[in-house]
Amino acid sequence: MSNSRLEKYGWLKPLSPRDPKENHRVATSLELLFDLIFVIAIATAGQQLHHSIVENHLSHGLTLYFMVFFALWWAWMNFSWFASAYDNDDAFYRIVTFVQIIGSLVIAAGIPLAFQQQDFDVIIIGYFIMRGGLVTQWFRVAHNDPERKGTALRYAFGIILVQIGWLLFHFTPINFTIYLFLLLVVAELFVPVFAEANNMTPWHPHHISERYALLTIIVLGEAIIGCFNAISDAINLQLLSTELIFLCIGGLLMMFTMWWAYFDHDVAEYLNSRKHAFIWGYGHFLIFVSIAALGAGLAAAVNVVTGQAEVSSQVVCYFIVFSLIVYASSLWLLQDIHHLSGIKRWLYPISAVIICMIPMWFEHIGYAIFAISIVYALRLVFSKCFLAR
């Protein structure tokens, strides 16, 4: 079939840049499907972290969790920013996206092996599939967008070089270490900075802010599901108690307040420069990973309350506090601080200090979580009802 006929039937259209000021630009159904598939991988990573916490392997589990979550987040982020600039919705674009979906499922399948045996082979294969699909798209951009041909080629060859690095460092006798991982992470993060240095891709600010908001809701939902499953198991084993009830209420209140705090401001107008876009986009890694970690921590707290954990209640409580502080601090620096002035800017640090002290005041983790959620919610209510005046 000739190219003209392929174009006629919508199978192969020029991958031209989209208008960054396009009205009513929203996430497509394909992007929503892509996010839905990612739920599986995020949930699998959260379950493995939950087991690591309960078994008192916190430092080991956290290290592996950050490594796995980076691969998931980075593949998702690259797809989302590319789609914001170049999604033409032809058949070939959909097929390549399907290939990337397959890659995400392969990554999800390899997560248990990474946690249990420190075997990253399957994850790297899945990551290679996803990145290969993205490289194909960038070569299409180089062919169809002459103005940004250099940007597209820098993206394509940059990704290829880093992928070679992942393969060489892992499938050789050299042991896969955290130092090599961090080196390759820096290389991954540098590729977009290098590629967009001279000519930025035409991503859509409102579309990007919506994509990040949707993933935030997905991760919050996964955290709630993880807690629900732990609570359901406790109820089935007839281990329900007053402390567990307070823990459930506190956990739900905490998640609801986290949602409210995130969606309290429209950030699309803030994404008005390359510098702001990179800081906001990269900084969201801490937001996403802290939400997911908090969900795993709350699920582990249920096991502590029901006597099914090998870890102390204080360790889990401080883990939850640390996750909440990372989330709230990242949100404060990336979004809230730009809308605040005077004393409003310092309300969060004050409440953060109080939250850090709560585990010292409560012996039982269920009541501690409830108290933490109350303080966090009151900070939001106080800032909305009083400082807003």
Side-chain angles (χ1 to χ4, degrees):
M1 190 178 291
S2 64
N3 284 346
S4 60
R5 187 166 295 183
L6 287 171
E7 292 180 12
K8 178 181 178 181
Y9 292 104
W11 279 84
L12 188 65
K13 296 186 291 187
L15 200 58
S16 304
R18 297 190 63 152
D19 182 3
K21 296 182 180 179
E22 179 182 339
N23 291 327
H24 310 297
R25 179 73 192 278
V26 296
T28 66
S29 58
L30 181 59
E31 289 175 312
L32 297 177
L33 176 63
F34 187 87
D35 290 353
L36 185 62
I37 300 300
F38 256 76
V39 168
I40 300 172
I42 293 173
T44 304
Q47 291 167 3
Q48 295 301 317
L49 178 60
H50 170 210
H51 295 322
S52 296
I53 297 171
V54 169
E55 295 167 3
N56 202 14
H57 300 149
L58 185 56
S59 60
H60 177 72
L62 266 180
T63 301
L64 294 171
Y65 184 70
F66 274 103
M67 294 167 74
V68 168
F69 202 93
F70 175 81
L72 294 171
W73 166 77
W74 188 243
W76 175 90
M77 198 183 87
N78 277 251
F79 168 81
S80 297
W81 285 80
F82 179 89
S84 186
Y86 289 104
D87 182 0
N88 67 351
D89 199 35
D90 66 359
F92 190 78
Y93 181 91
R94 293 184 176 190
I95 292 169
V96 173
T97 301
F98 177 66
V99 170
Q100 292 175 279
I101 287 174
I102 293 173
S104 71
L105 291 174
V106 174
I107 291 176
I111 290 174
L113 282 175
F115 273 84
Q116 297 163 16
Q117 302 176 22
Q118 290 75 60
D119 184 350
F120 284 81
D121 290 356
V122 176
I123 288 180
I124 289 181
I125 291 171
Y127 189 66
F128 186 81
I129 293 171
M130 294 196 72
R131 304 298 275 164
L134 187 62
V135 167
T136 303
Q137 299 285 43
W138 280 120
F139 278 128
R140 290 187 70 195
V141 172
H143 178 73
N144 291 286
D145 186 7
E147 182 182 347
R148 299 176 183 84
K149 180 177 180 179
T151 300
L153 290 177
R154 283 193 292 271
Y155 263 115
F157 288 112
I159 293 171
I160 290 171
L161 286 174
V162 178
Q163 284 303 122
I164 292 173
W166 287 113
L167 293 173
L168 288 178
F169 279 121
H170 191 67
F171 295 109
T172 61
I174 302 175
N175 290 328
F176 191 93
T177 67
I178 188 64
Y179 304 106
L180 295 176
F181 174 81
L182 291 175
L183 177 64
L184 289 168
V185 164
V186 171
E188 290 277 18
L189 296 175
F190 179 73
V191 170
V193 176
F194 168 69
E196 306 247 0
N198 296 324
N199 199 354
M200 290 181 61
T201 52
W203 45 269
H204 195 291
H206 289 278
H207 176 251
I208 282 295
S209 63
E210 183 194 28
R211 296 291 294 118
Y212 274 70
L214 289 171
L215 187 61
T216 299
I217 291 176
I218 286 173
V219 180
L220 279 169
E222 281 302 321
I224 293 172
I225 290 172
C227 298
F228 170 78
N229 289 336
I231 293 166
S232 179
D233 291 341
I235 293 174
N236 290 334
L237 295 173
Q238 298 182 345
L239 297 174
L240 188 64
S241 64
T242 304
E243 183 183 356
L244 185 59
I245 293 173
F246 271 89
L247 173 59
C248 296
I249 296 171
L252 286 174
L253 178 60
M254 194 181 298
M255 291 293 177
F256 181 75
T257 309
M258 290 166 70
W259 164 82
W260 191 334
Y262 185 91
F263 289 93
D264 205 31
H265 302 292
D266 183 10
V267 299
E269 300 302 326
Y270 172 69
L271 304 178
N272 55 9
S273 71
R274 177 175 172 271
K275 178 182 177 181
H276 288 165
F278 271 110
I279 292 173
W280 186 85
Y282 282 10
H284 263 70
F285 172 76
L286 294 175
I287 289 179
F288 296 141
V289 77
S290 59
I291 295 173
L294 182 59
L298 288 172
V302 174
N303 295 120
V304 170
V305 172
T306 56
Q308 297 174 300
E310 300 175 17
V311 64
S312 70
S313 62
Q314 191 173 42
V315 169
V316 176
C317 194
Y318 272 112
F319 176 81
I320 293 171
V321 166
F322 178 75
S323 300
L324 180 61
I325 294 299
V326 170
Y327 170 81
S329 300
S330 302
L331 192 61
W332 180 61
L333 291 171
L334 292 175
Q335 296 184 181
D336 293 349
I337 202 169
H338 306 291
H339 302 276
L340 303 174
S341 60
I343 191 174
K344 297 179 188 178
R345 286 193 169 199
W346 306 110
L347 179 61
Y348 165 71
I350 293 171
S351 63
V353 171
I354 297 174
I355 288 173
C356 288
M357 297 173 66
I358 287 177
M360 296 185 292
W361 300 337
F362 290 87
E363 180 180 354
H364 299 286
I365 190 171
Y367 303 125
I369 298 304
F370 180 78
I372 290 168
S373 67
I374 293 295
V375 172
Y376 187 55
L378 286 177
R379 180 200 70 86
L380 180 66
V381 171
F382 185 71
S383 63
K384 294 290 291 182
C385 298
F386 296 97
L387 295 185
R389 300 176 184 176

